Amino acid sequence: MIELRDVKFEYTRGGFSLRVPELQISAGTRAAAIGPSGSGKTTLLNLISGIECPEAGRIDSAGVRVDRLSPVARRAFRITNIGFVFQDFLLLDYLDVLQNILYPYRLHHDLRLDADARNRAQRLAADLGIDRLLDRRPDELSQGERQRVAIARALVTAPKLVLADEPTGNLDPATKQHALDLLFEQCDALSMTLFMVTPDHGLLDRFDQVVDVSAFGGSPP
Ligand code: ADP
Ligand code: MG
C-alpha cells in the first residue's frame, strides 16, 4: 500500500533532509509514525501523499508511483485516493458541518457529488455521532465534535489510504481513545490503510506497526 525505497528529500530552502532507505506499510494495516517535533513526520506524510516530491528514490502510494507524477497529476491523485485528517482539523468556518464533510467533492471533478456520496456522508455522520449537527458551523462545535467532522471528511470519498497528522492532539484522553476507536472502526469497515502521526505513546499498542521517523531525518551533510 505504501512503499518507499532509497528516498532522498531536502527542502529547497535547505536545513532539513530526509533519507528513507526502506519503508513498507501493508494494505489494510494501521501504522503509527512517531518522533520528536521537527523530526520529519509531516514531511514524510507529504512525500507519501505527493504534496512534496523526492530528489531520488521511489514512492508507491495506493498502487501509484507518486514520485513520477506531474504536479497536476499528484494533486488529482491526492484528492481522489487519500483521506487526510489534519492536526488542527482545518475545517472551513463559512461552511456548515455537512458541507465541510462533503468538501473534497469541491476540489476535483473526478469526485462526483452524487446520491452515493451524500448517503455516505450521512452514514458517516451517524456512525460518528454528529448527524444532529449537520447544519451547524464549526465554531458552534466542541473540539471532539470538530475532530469527528474532520474524520468524516477524510473518509467520505472512501479513500484507499488515510493519512492523519496528530489528529488526536488537543483532545482529552477519553475523547482521544474514542476518536481513535471511530477512526479504526471506519478504516476496518472500508478496508482502508491508516498511517497516523501520534505523539501519544500510550496509543501505540493499538497499531500494527510503529515507524520512528527520527531514524530518517536530519540536517543535510
Ligand atoms: P514534524 O512533523 O516531525 O514536527 P516536519 O516534517 O514538519 O517535522 O519538519 C521537519 C523539519 O523540516 C523541521 O526542521 C522544519 O523546520 C523543516 N521544514 C518543514 N517544512 C519546511 C519547508 N516548507 N521548507 C523548509 N523547511 C521546512
Ligand atoms: Mg508535524
Side-chain angles (χ1 to χ4, degrees):
M1 171 53 62
I2 300 175
E3 187 170 355
L4 283 75
R5 287 226 177 252
D6 301 321
V7 166
K8 291 185 183 174
F9 171 79
E10 187 176 336
Y11 283 110
T12 43
R13 293 171 68 88
F16 180 80
S17 68
L18 206 65
R19 299 274 180 276
V20 187
E22 192 188 350
L23 172 64
Q24 249 178 302
I25 295 169
S26 305
T29 61
R30 305 153 176 177
I34 59 165
S37 175
S39 59
K41 303 179 297 296
T42 298
T43 305
L44 179 61
L45 291 193
N46 289 347
L47 285 164
I48 291 168
S49 66
I51 291 173
E52 299 286 356
C53 207
E55 272 163 52
R58 51 183 292 166
I59 300 179
D60 284 85
S61 297
V64 172
R65 277 289 298 272
V66 279
D67 57 281
R68 284 191 173 159
L69 300 177
S70 69
V72 171
R74 276 190 280 139
R75 180 173 182 276
F77 163 80
R78 188 164 69 244
I79 295 166
T80 53
N81 289 276
I82 297 182
F84 267 101
V85 188
F86 296 98
Q87 179 161 18
D88 301 317
F89 314 147
L90 297 184
L91 301 178
L92 296 157
D93 284 328
Y94 62 94
L95 298 177
D96 67 22
V97 165
L98 181 61
Q99 291 166 332
N100 265 286
I101 294 173
L102 291 171
Y103 186 69
Y105 293 91
R106 297 178 184 225
L107 295 178
H108 203 272
H109 54 75
D110 278 0
L111 296 176
R112 295 273 313 277
L113 183 50
D114 53 15
D116 276 355
R118 288 184 184 283
N119 289 338
R120 224 171 18 249
Q122 292 284 351
R123 202 169 50 243
L124 276 168
D127 287 353
L128 292 163
I130 49 173
D131 45 335
R132 298 171 295 109
L133 308 173
L134 292 177
D135 57 358
R136 295 233 201 132
R137 308 264 162 176
D139 63 0
E140 299 166 329
L141 303 176
S142 71
Q143 279 282 97
E145 289 163 347
R146 278 201 282 275
Q147 161 105 39
R148 285 179 269 164
V149 177
I151 293 174
R153 183 183 56 186
L155 303 182
V156 73
T157 59
K160 298 182 192 121
L161 177 59
V162 177
L163 299 176
D165 201 350
E166 305 193 27
T168 55
N170 308 321
L171 297 180
D172 62 77
T175 311
K176 209 173 263 191
Q177 288 287 354
H178 187 55
L180 206 58
D181 290 341
L182 295 170
L183 195 53
F184 280 7
E185 273 167 28
Q186 294 297 327
C187 284
D188 283 347
L190 299 169
S191 304
M192 293 182 285
T193 308
L194 174 68
F195 190 33
M196 175 176 144
V197 175
T198 177
D200 236 303
H201 287 232
L203 300 177
L204 294 182
D205 58 358
R206 302 188 58 182
F207 288 83
D208 301 308
Q209 183 180 349
V210 177
V211 177
D212 182 359
V213 178
S214 61
F216 303 142
S219 303

